[in-house]
Every structure is written in structure tokens, then in C-alpha cells.
Amino acid sequence: MRQPRLLIPAGPTHEPIDAVRFLGNRSSGRLGVALADEAARRGWSVTLLLGPTPLRPSENGIELVKYRSCADLEARLGEQLHQHEILVMAAAVSDYRPVAGQADPFGKRRRDADRMTIEFERTPDLLAGCSARRKPGQMLVGFALEPRSRMLESAREKLERKGIDLIVANPLETMESETIDATLLATGEDEPIATTGCGIDKPAFAAWLLDRIEEAREANARKGGARRDAATA
Ligand code: CTP
């Protein structure tokens, strides 16, 4: 199979409250950058959509596109998705943002009132949006950081709700750890298809996940070939 084109959104989003303040999260983007570097080492063509983080990939040849907010990332995905065969959605997208009119992107809120209320609205589910307009043969991969006690059922529910091919479930308890303890679920498979078994560091996880994606692509290509053979028999 020819080397795939990979699109990786990574890092947090910053949802502006005013020109100096934002709603953000603690994602560093390290995992997505490790995935981009590993894919580039394999000769894949990689576009990294990178949120507000000082991290940068170390491999040459990675196309780097910066974004800041969920709306920015949504626009970048709209431009880029159709040019790639694989989307690995590693961005930590904010679930809420200030409703339009509450944020003042060019001004600065004063400290004059004793209390402040900001109304937030739910952000669109970007991964579900990508799934709704995917091309045949595109593979979509998501992440689910979940409490260990209900990790598999929550990840399975997200896999189905977002209409994606694979989801990487990670225990919430390992957040900000140096290592990753991942379980991979696939659409159409009742049981997890792979697990790292124990905590592995982010570069090792990146190699592990790209191996699993390659296997899944090969299996899909074989199924497609078998379907074509059956149709022409
Ligand atoms: N995601 C997305 N758009 C959002 C929120 C999340 O594309 N607005 C993506 C994430 O990048 C991740 C996957 O969906 O790959 C799961 O994200 P997660 O935050 O676990 O799920 P949510 O859909 O936000 O559900 P909840 O917060 O209720 O657990």
C-alpha cells in the first residue's frame, strides 16, 4: 500500500473571553507531536494542526498549521480533511465556549463588578462532523480519556456516537503521566482489538498506534478486495 497522508490535530484549544483571557485546558500536545514525528519517520506525509503550545515537531517535512480556538480548528479541518486518508484526532477540544456577544476578543473586561457571570455554549463535535463528511476509504481515529471504572463502555459509546473507526481509551487516572496505558476499540469488534499492556512512553505509544492503524488499513484493503472478488465472481 502506498504511504498514507495523515492529518493530526493536537494540543489544547483556547476559547477567548477577551483579548487577554481564555478558557483552556491542560493538554500539552506532546502525544500528537510524537505521533506526527513517528509518522514522518515512516515516510508518511503529515499535516500537524497544532493548538496553542510551545512544542514543535522535530522531524523535517511535517506541514505545520497553527490554530487557537475550536472555531479555528473547525475551519482548518474543513480545508484539510479531504486531502488526507487518516485523521488522528488528538486535540483536546474545549467542550464549551463563551456564547457570541459574551466574549470581547479585542477589549478587556474590567474588575469593577463583585461577581461575573459568563454564559457558555457547547462547541460542535468536530470529530463527528468529520465523520459525517468523510470520503470512502478515509480512516478516523479518536481518543477517550475516561475514569477507569467505566472506560471501555464510555469509549465504545463515543466510537459509535462519533461514527469513527478506532478509538484509543486511556484511563483518566493517568492524566499528565509520562506514560500511556491504552486500549484500542474498533467499530464492528465487540472486544478491544489491542492494548499496550502496561504504561509505555509517548514515542513508544506513537509507534504502537501507527502499527495498529497500518494493520487496520491492510485489513480494510483485504476486505475491499474480497468484496470486489465476490461481486465479479
Ligand atoms: N472531540 C471533538 N470535538 C469536540 C470534543 C471532542 O472532535 N467538541 C474529539 C476529541 O478530540 C477526541 C474525541 O472527540 O478525539 C473524544 O473527546 P472527549 O472529550 O473524550 O469526548 P466528548 O465528545 O467531549 O464527550 P464528553 O466530554 O461528554 O466525555
Side-chain angles (χ1 to χ4, degrees):
M1 285 175 90
R2 86 176 173 82
Q3 299 291 44
R5 288 169 296 182
L6 173 66
L7 181 60
I8 310 188
T13 59
H14 285 180
E15 306 303 326
I17 290 171
D18 63 19
V20 290
R21 304 179 182 95
F22 56 83
L23 174 70
N25 61 63
R26 280 151 65 178
S27 165
S28 66
R30 253 186 322 146
L31 182 60
V33 169
L35 282 161
D37 278 332
E38 175 63 24
R41 280 194 287 276
R42 291 176 185 216
W44 297 17
S45 151
V46 183
T47 306
L48 176 64
L49 305 183
L50 191 60
T53 162
L55 281 187
R56 293 292 177 270
S58 41
E59 295 297 319
N60 292 326
I62 295 174
E63 188 184 342
L64 180 66
V65 179
K66 295 286 292 169
Y67 71 82
R68 183 163 289 274
S69 64
C70 174
D72 282 348
L73 176 55
E74 188 174 24
R76 302 291 86 77
L77 283 166
E79 293 156 6
Q80 297 279 348
L81 181 66
H82 67 283
Q83 302 179 38
H84 297 82
E85 282 92 39
I86 305 173
L87 170 71
V88 176
M89 186 63 168
V93 185
S94 180
D95 288 334
Y96 287 86
R97 63 186 171 201
V99 296
Q102 295 255 326
D104 180 6
F106 305 109
K108 183 176 173 229
R109 281 175 174 259
R110 291 281 149 212
R111 204 166 66 89
D112 42 14
D114 286 341
R115 286 166 182 252
M116 177 188 287
T117 302
I118 301 175
E119 197 181 348
F120 292 92
E121 64 180 7
R122 194 164 57 191
T123 54
D125 188 324
L126 303 185
L127 195 47
C130 291
S131 161
R133 60 176 196 283
R134 63 165 32 177
K135 292 187 302 188
Q138 268 182 330
M139 174 171 284
L140 307 188
V141 183
F143 284 82
L145 188 65
E146 301 288 343
R148 210 184 275 275
S149 58
R150 53 187 172 82
M151 181 180 84
L152 293 183
E153 60 183 285
S154 296
R156 163 94 35 217
E157 184 275 322
K158 283 182 189 175
L159 180 73
E160 286 165 11
R161 171 161 49 89
K162 292 169 191 268
I164 57 179
D165 302 281
L166 298 173
I167 197 156
V168 181
N170 292 302
L172 186 60
E173 291 76 2
T174 60
M175 198 173 90
E176 294 190 338
S177 140
E178 286 301 308
T179 60
I180 294 193
D181 172 6
T183 303
L184 192 62
L185 305 181
T187 291
E189 302 286 344
D190 292 338
E191 296 299 321
I193 60 166
T195 156
T196 54
C198 58
I200 56 176
D201 67 17
K202 290 183 181 180
F205 169 76
W208 178 87
L209 182 60
L210 294 190
D211 285 347
R212 303 290 82 75
I213 288 174
E214 280 183 329
E215 286 167 7
R217 271 172 44 88
E218 280 159 17
N220 286 350
R222 276 197 302 277
K223 276 189 224 152
R227 271 197 301 274
R228 276 193 299 280
D229 291 348
T232 52

